Amino acid sequence: MAELRHSSSIGNRVTASPRKRDDVASSSPLVPDSAPNVDDDDDDYRGRYPRDRFRSFFSSHLQPLFPFFPDESRSHPHKSKISLLVLVVIILSLVIVISSVVHRLNAPYLCKKDGITLQCPRVKEPSSLWENPYSATISWKPCAERREGLISDIPPENATNGYVFIHAEGGLNQQRIAICNAVAVAKIMNATLILPVLKQDQIWKDQTKFEDIFDVDHFINYLKDDVRIVRDIPEWFTDKSELFTSIRRTVKNIPKYASAEFYIDNVLPRVKEKKIMSLKPFVDRLGYDNVPPEINRLRCRVNYHALKFLPEIEQMADQLVSRMRNRTGSSNPFMALHLRFEKGMVGLSFCDFVGTRSEKALMAAYRKKEWPRRFKDGSHLWALALQKRKEGRCPLEPGEVAVLLRAMGYPKETQIYVASGQVYGGQNRMAPLRNMFPNLVTKEELATKPELDGFRKHVTSLAALDFLVCLKSDVFVMTHGGNFAKLIIGNRRYMGHRLKSIKPDKGLMSKSLGDPYMGWAAFVEDVVITHQTRTGLPEETFPNYDLWENPLTNCMCRA
């Protein structure tokens, strides 16, 4: 090795001499005879050599790729202009393509609607069981909040066009939507809104008032620059009972999803004439696409900022959340499951579920009593049940939910908070879910009886606790449609899309669980791929979209 190194160094020193290098070059068979003589015209060679080297490289490597470029020795001025023009076109095309790609990468939506299908690009960031990818949730920010420093354009109370009054019907979340719409309608007509009354619901049998559940002072103060709101019917209106009973004081037959023009053309004249009018009924009586964007933004301002639960409700909900996170002695994420499988929901769905013959007979009698016109003679219900299940319109059973969550990858140790009424079928129906996920609790198991007794006098207070715990959970899972799930998903999206809100593909579940030949691995793959786009990510809005479930376009701004 020493000798090899020594000979190598000598060789290097020998060839370092210019004279010797020229002699070697001239005798080498690898050097052509036409090689330039460096000693003859060294300055001229140094000036020409780079150009010759580029020309040689172009001829041997790039000419086959770009045949429209002629060799310089054979080029013609006309051909050179054509080649230059082609080059400019190619560069412009590349600029357009690159800008298009950049635009797509910076698109305001992660997912886009293609008919009823949601198309979402794959996110390189690894997926997590407990939160959406960060890179997929940074395009939008909430912007429906009240802006400080703006001069209010609300006229004095005696200068508005009159007073409007509504009964907010249904359960807590239906009432919430009605209140948001009432504020928007009052703004459209430049009218004063009387604090809505929460009407007693026939199912829940609840007598809750607005001030029993919501912070009235915050509600009125937060909206003071948008709409004039008063706590009660004006004193000059002596016969208050007339407002509830007189047809002359009630605007009826307001169509569903009515436009702003409908209220201006048909309702406002009566409000101006009578000075105070009741709007009845008032469920879904304002559209989404047929009102100005600022009105939709106002509805979001009411929903996400003005409507706050009472402090004692907020505090109890925070305690429940804290207990869920620390059930195992250390901080853990938890899932909130809105399990819609009460007797009323099962009956109203007119779907068929596994059960004994006696159980099915009792359900048929219940449906016949509650919905006689839909039940008819019952002969058509089997075909209807099959069709609805195939279309994914049936509530998921607790056992189906368990299989879905396990396929998604949630382990047996997952902490789950269940928000639901009395599950139809009781413990037997809940057994498959509890077996797969034993860490399953309700608010009654998290809180003591004295702690909840103060909320039991108002059913909507208990519903508010479920609402807040689901809202603050790490993952929210719905099992069927409804205003509760709709508002939770929309609220979590408004908070930044980071929190997962899983909306199961019930059609996929029906198809997969009904296929006797589908293996577990194939089922898991279908579930994981399908639900990558069903976790509350930013998605494009479309005509007649639901503002409460997807507040993106009207209530959020580009980040």
Side-chain angles (χ1 to χ4, degrees), residues 27-38:
S27 62
S28 173
L30 300 177
V31 178
D33 295 337
S34 59
N37 191 325
V38 178

Side-chain angles (χ1 to χ4, degrees), residues 341-344 420-427:
F341 208 75
E342 305 90 349
K343 183 178 180 180
S420 72
Q422 186 66 39
V423 174
Y424 175 66
Q427 294 302 318

Side-chain angles (χ1 to χ4, degrees), residues 324 334-337 405 414-418 437 439-441:
M324 278 301 302
F334 76 96
M335 174 188 294
L337 174 64
L405 295 179
T414 302
Q415 304 289 328
I416 301 180
Y417 178 91
V418 179
F437 296 95
N439 295 323
L440 201 75
V441 293

Side-chain angles (χ1 to χ4, degrees), residues 30 39 92 177 217 309 366 374 398 401 403 409 425 481 483 497 545:
L30 300 177
D39 293 334
L92 288 176
I177 293 174
D217 292 334
F309 293 114
Y366 173 70
R374 290 189 61 188
V401 177
V403 173
N483 292 317
H497 297 96
Y545 79 101

Side-chain angles (χ1 to χ4, degrees), residues 50-64:
R51 182 170 66 250
D52 295 341
R53 184 173 56 184
F54 173 76
R55 185 185 305 152
S56 174
F57 176 79
F58 179 83
S59 300
S60 59
H61 293 86
L62 300 183
Q63 185 73 27

Side-chain angles (χ1 to χ4, degrees), residues 365-411:
Y366 173 70
R367 285 171 171 166
K368 184 176 181 179
K369 176 184 177 183
E370 296 294 329
W371 303 279
R373 297 181 63 180
R374 290 189 61 188
F375 187 85
K376 299 178 182 178
D377 61 356
S379 60
H380 68 295
L381 293 182
W382 176 246
L384 176 64
L386 288 177
Q387 179 185 353
K388 294 189 72 172
R389 183 165 291 278
K390 183 178 180 181
E391 295 172 354
R393 294 191 290 139
C394 293
L396 290 178
E397 295 189 51
E400 293 174 322
V401 177
V403 173
L404 176 69
L405 295 179
R406 185 58 58 83
M408 287 182 177
Y410 290 97

Side-chain angles (χ1 to χ4, degrees), residues 153-197:
D153 59 350
I154 302 300
E157 186 175 343
N158 57 2
T160 61
N161 288 324
Y163 293 81
V164 291
F165 178 77
I166 69 154
H167 279 93
E169 302 176 356
L172 171 64
N173 299 289
Q174 188 170 312
Q175 292 172 345
R176 189 184 189 99
I177 293 174
I179 293 168
C180 296
N181 287 338
V183 173
V185 166
K187 178 69 174 180
I188 290 171
M189 298 190 296
N190 191 22
T192 299
L193 176 67
I194 300 171
L195 197 68
V197 168

